[in-house]
Amino acid sequence: MKILVLSDSHGNGKIMANVVQKYKKTVDCVVFLGDCIGDCDAFVADFAKPIYMVAGNCDYASQLPEELLIELGGKKVMMTHGHMYRVKVGYDNIITAAVANGADICLFGHTHAPVYFVKNGITFLNPGSINLPRGCIGKSYAIIEIVGGAVLHKFIEVQQGRPLRSPGI
């Protein structure tokens, strides 16, 4: 299973539509981790595969949940924007929630910086921001592949279209 992971578009639906178009035939689903849900309108109608979305702290009137637990590729995936777990100041809260939910993978955004780490056997991944990056890495998104039970990932820089070194904690 191949998953396109996007977050923090903040008003740039065009950039998201371009990235989704690029992977339209090669991914099995798209995950959007919030801030700004309305940007997904730029690609939702043309994408025939599942799209999973959660609301972020800037999605004020959204009817979407702030957290989802879904199964993808035989793995239990926890999706959240991250603001409820204060991920800008540390990962202890989100780690505790992922463990409590029995997650195999925890996907979150909010910090606008990509990060990957494994803790307590759980893969944690933030794809960074597809529009307003923070830190030394540009606009980014992630691809996750679940192959034979293994969780593989890569971060991709939007402008260059090239894989990035995996930033950990």
Side-chain angles (χ1 to χ4, degrees):
M1 166 157 271
K2 191 181 249 187
I3 307 158
L4 174 60
V5 186
L6 308 164
S7 189
D8 294 283
S9 55
H10 290 281
N12 195 337
K14 183 177 179 182
I15 198 168
M16 288 211 319
N18 289 341
V19 169
V20 170
Q21 182 65 31
K22 178 179 179 178
Y23 292 97
K24 188 175 184 171
K25 294 180 181 173
T26 59
V27 299
D28 297 299
C29 66
V30 172
V31 165
F32 182 68
L33 301 169
D35 282 359
C36 290
I37 292 299
D39 296 342
C40 295
D41 294 346
F43 69 82
V44 166
D46 295 333
F47 194 74
K49 298 173 185 175
I51 301 168
Y52 302 98
M53 299 183 279
V54 291
N57 60 302
C58 292
D59 295 316
Y60 308 111
S62 175
Q63 299 299 309
L64 291 172
E66 291 182 320
E67 185 172 292
L68 269 180
L69 288 171
I70 58 174
E71 186 176 314
L72 296 174
K75 299 287 184 182
K76 190 170 186 182
V77 180
M78 177 180 154
M79 296 171 43
T80 184
H81 183 61
H83 62 292
M84 298 182 314
Y85 298 106
R86 302 187 62 212
V87 295
K88 286 186 178 179
V89 296
Y91 301 118
D92 290 345
N93 293 334
I94 201 164
I95 290 167
T96 299
V99 168
N101 281 307
D104 299 303
I105 302 170
C106 180
L107 304 175
F108 64 98
H110 192 54
T111 66
H112 294 223
V115 70
Y116 165 86
F117 63 95
V118 177
K119 182 79 174 179
N120 297 330
I122 303 168
T123 298
F124 290 84
L125 183 135
N126 179 333
S129 173
I130 195 158
N131 187 38
L132 299 171
R134 293 191 183 128
C136 60
I137 294 174
K139 298 174 182 180
S140 63
Y141 57 94
I143 300 286
I144 294 176
E145 282 192 80
I146 302 171
V147 182
V151 180
L152 311 172
H153 75 284
K154 64 181 169 182
F155 294 101
I156 300 171
E157 187 177 15
V158 173
Q159 304 302 84
Q160 305 299 322
R162 64 176 185 219
L164 299 169
R165 186 178 68 75
S166 184
I169 58 168

